[in-house]
Amino acid sequence: MTKRTPLRTTLALASAALLLISAGCEEKKTTTAAPEGSAPGQVTKLAVASYDPTRELYQELNPAFERWYKQTTGKDVDVETDHGPSGKQARDIAAGKETDVAALSVDFDVDTIAKAGLLPASWRERLPNGSVPYTSAVIFLVRAGNPKQVKGWEDLARPEVVSLCPDPKTGGGARWIYLSTWAHAVRKAKAEGKTDAEAEAAAREFTTKVYDDALLDPAMRGSSTRFIAQRTGDVLFGWENEILQIANDPSTTGQFEVVVPSDSITIEVPLAVVDKVAERHGVKEIAEAYVKFHFSDEGQELIARRYNRPYSEAIAKKHAEKLRPLTLFRFKDHFSDWPTVMNVHFGQGAELDKMRKK
């Protein structure tokens, strides 16, 4: 079971391990699940792989599920979650990493696992809302007093503003941030009456300015650590839940300010049972209960407490004061599909590579 650790402690530990993080390493835990019907008193283990900014969420959600499962079935289960860049998690699972549940940051990564034959291509249909229990957005974090006067997206392109974010080459979470940057520029150009071709050119120019100068880390937590512990840069732009956790942590009181940009992409985060692995471990029923727990009132409440935007409208309304009003748009409003986006923006020699002159 993931042990409960305050965010400030996590950040301190992450700072000490920054060189490892920058090299692309992520926290891992070896998990061997006991089969169903094991000896009385034996705890069955469930292995979950997730992306970086969910660490604090699963420190609360996993024990809650364990309690609920014990009360419901009388059986003990120990959920162990490891974290790392979403894309790498998907590739590792597809290559044989023993994972019963994948809770990743983009459905394209779950599709990678499905293409390896470990779960059906129709996995989205097995849970509500296309198997997306919550969403997030892209917002900014600046230092107290906002010394560089960062107000919105355009300020990220100013040469005197040093920004930090995760590397879109590494994981799905970082790709959402990149796509939000690109789509903002398209939307702005269209609002100014520019043609589709002109809007695309404007997006390319703007995103190049942002990403050519940005300091990139393999994962969002690495960027957060650099910004906080090493006091590097002027603005951290990334996932809303990660930034609000930092801003509301007692150890950082008065050190930072949140800046809400004019618009953001809706970040949709899926999860799915990795059928073939869960069946081999004899934990398919537990894995299915675990993913459904995310959509329960208790699961949605825990999700909202960690500054995520829950699927449940009732829970979202209850926690509305945690999240500032923000103009949100969907992936499909500006992009066709993830395979096309991966080829056009993130493939070898694609848009992102052309931007990274330095």
Side-chain angles (χ1 to χ4, degrees), residues 28-329:
K28 290 187 177 181
K29 294 181 181 178
T30 302
T31 303
T32 303
E36 290 292 314
S38 53
Q42 188 170 352
V43 178
T44 302
K45 294 189 180 295
L46 187 72
V48 179
S50 188
Y51 57 98
D52 268 310
T54 60
R55 296 170 191 265
E56 288 73 32
L57 168 62
Y58 284 118
Q59 287 165 1
E60 296 184 350
L61 190 144
N62 287 352
F65 171 74
E66 291 164 2
R67 289 190 295 270
W68 173 87
Y69 192 78
K70 175 71 172 179
Q71 292 167 359
T72 304
T73 68
K75 300 177 182 178
D76 292 307
V77 61
D78 180 14
V79 183
E80 294 189 351
T81 304
D82 68 56
H83 302 268
S86 182
K88 187 174 189 308
Q89 292 280 42
R91 292 189 297 272
D92 288 348
I93 296 169
K97 178 179 176 178
E98 296 292 310
T99 300
D100 303 308
V101 174
L104 303 179
S105 62
V106 59
D107 60 5
F108 179 83
D109 289 336
V110 182
D111 284 335
T112 296
I113 302 170
K115 288 176 182 177
L118 299 177
L119 71 158
S122 60
W123 61 268
R124 293 171 181 80
E125 302 170 9
R126 303 196 294 191
L127 291 166
N129 197 36
S131 294
V132 174
Y134 62 90
T135 62
S136 191
V138 179
I139 63 173
F140 306 162
L141 188 71
V142 298
R143 304 197 184 282
N146 195 359
K148 293 292 179 72
Q149 293 300 295
V150 174
K151 303 296 184 183
W153 286 105
E154 278 61 43
D155 295 303
L156 299 184
R158 287 161 47 198
E160 71 274 18
V161 173
V162 178
S163 59
L164 291 85
C165 65
D167 188 347
K169 277 283 191 178
T170 308
R175 291 174 191 135
W176 281 113
I177 301 167
Y178 168 99
L179 293 178
S180 194
T181 309
W182 179 282
H184 163 76
V186 169
R187 292 164 62 84
K188 183 173 182 291
K190 288 290 192 68
E192 294 170 352
K194 294 183 179 178
T195 65
D196 289 349
E198 291 170 336
E200 181 174 301
R204 181 175 297 109
E205 180 182 4
F206 176 72
T207 310
T208 296
K209 288 180 179 178
V210 172
Y211 274 87
D212 189 38
D213 288 333
L215 302 178
L216 306 180
D217 282 279
M220 182 69 190
R221 188 51 58 94
S223 297
S224 301
T225 298
R226 252 214 275 195
F227 187 72
I228 297 167
Q230 298 190 341
R231 302 194 61 80
T232 301
D234 304 303
V235 54
L236 173 70
F237 67 110
W239 286 44
E240 183 177 46
N241 65 305
E242 175 90 345
I243 284 176
L244 292 181
Q245 283 187 152
I246 296 168
N248 289 282
D249 189 88
S251 68
T252 63
T253 300
Q255 296 181 31
F256 306 104
E257 296 178 15
V258 173
V259 173
V260 177
S262 57
D263 56 14
S264 170
I265 200 166
T266 299
I267 299 173
E268 298 175 293
V269 288
L271 79 166
V273 175
V274 185
D275 293 36
K276 292 296 178 64
V277 179
E279 288 167 359
R280 186 166 65 249
H281 291 166
V283 296
K284 179 77 176 295
E285 178 268 331
I286 299 175
E288 290 175 342
Y290 179 76
V291 296
K292 289 177 182 177
F293 184 77
H294 286 67
F295 293 89
S296 70
D297 286 347
E298 184 176 1
Q300 291 284 286
E301 177 72 24
L302 292 169
I303 283 166
R305 284 184 200 170
R306 281 297 170 184
Y307 307 102
N308 300 289
R309 296 174 180 259
Y311 157 72
S312 166
E313 292 183 4
I315 302 296
K317 184 175 181 180
K318 179 180 175 182
H319 291 269
E321 76 287 349
K322 290 177 183 250
L323 305 172
R324 299 185 192 180
L326 176 60
T327 299
L328 294 168
F329 54 87

